[in-house]
Amino acid sequence: MTSCLIVDDSKVVRMVARRILEDLKFAILEADNGKGALDTCLEKMPDVILLDWNMPVMNGIDFLRNLRGSSEGAQPIVIFCTTQNDVAHIREAISAGANEYIMKPFDRAIIEAKFTQVGVI
């Protein structure tokens, strides 16, 4: 089963994403900030990461840079899922190593389309 780490400081967003992704047969891990996500990745690297930008402790872009700089960090597919929708943020995320970008709010169709686009569905 493909694993997905959902990283978002909003419990509601994590719950909605979890429901959608479990329906799509993903094994789900969760973290509420980038530091927790890095710790999770060091224990067991997920196949896919759904990543928020604005979080306390460590934000999404700092997490992504740390992840991509680690020994196994090139492996997971990273999809940013955020309200930061201007071109500068999207460009920064892609240059830091994000594979795709989803705007909040999202629904099942959007998640399914992006996960299909990156080849995990």
Side-chain angles (χ1 to χ4, degrees):
M1 185 178 277
T2 304
S3 61
C4 181
L5 172 60
I6 301 166
V7 188
D8 200 298
D9 58 326
S10 166
K11 189 174 186 171
V12 172
V13 170
R14 290 195 316 268
M15 184 182 72
V16 170
R18 173 184 277 273
R19 256 193 219 132
I20 292 167
L21 291 164
E22 282 180 340
D23 280 352
L24 295 170
K25 306 297 182 222
F26 283 85
I28 303 302
L29 303 162
E30 291 185 26
D32 61 4
N33 63 62
K35 171 80 173 77
L38 266 181
D39 293 344
T40 299
C41 289
L42 291 174
E43 284 178 36
K44 184 184 186 315
M45 192 64 73
D47 300 305
V48 186
I49 300 170
L50 188 63
L51 180 63
D52 185 25
W53 192 295
N54 296 311
M55 296 176 288
V57 185
M58 181 188 286
N59 67 28
I61 199 75
D62 289 341
F63 160 79
L64 182 57
R65 289 186 177 121
N66 276 285
L67 174 75
R68 292 303 192 212
S70 71
S71 60
E72 293 181 44
Q75 172 200 342
I77 290 172
V78 176
I79 301 172
F80 255 106
C81 180
T82 181
T83 56
Q84 301 290 346
N85 62 356
D86 57 276
V87 174
H89 277 95
I90 295 170
R91 192 175 294 131
E92 184 178 0
I94 299 300
S95 70
N99 300 87
E100 247 324 317
Y101 210 91
I102 293 174
M103 301 314 310
K104 287 180 183 174
F106 58 85
D107 60 17
R108 182 188 169 116
I110 293 167
I111 295 265
E112 210 166 342
K114 288 294 183 178
F115 276 58
T116 300
Q117 200 174 330
V118 297
V120 293
I121 294 180

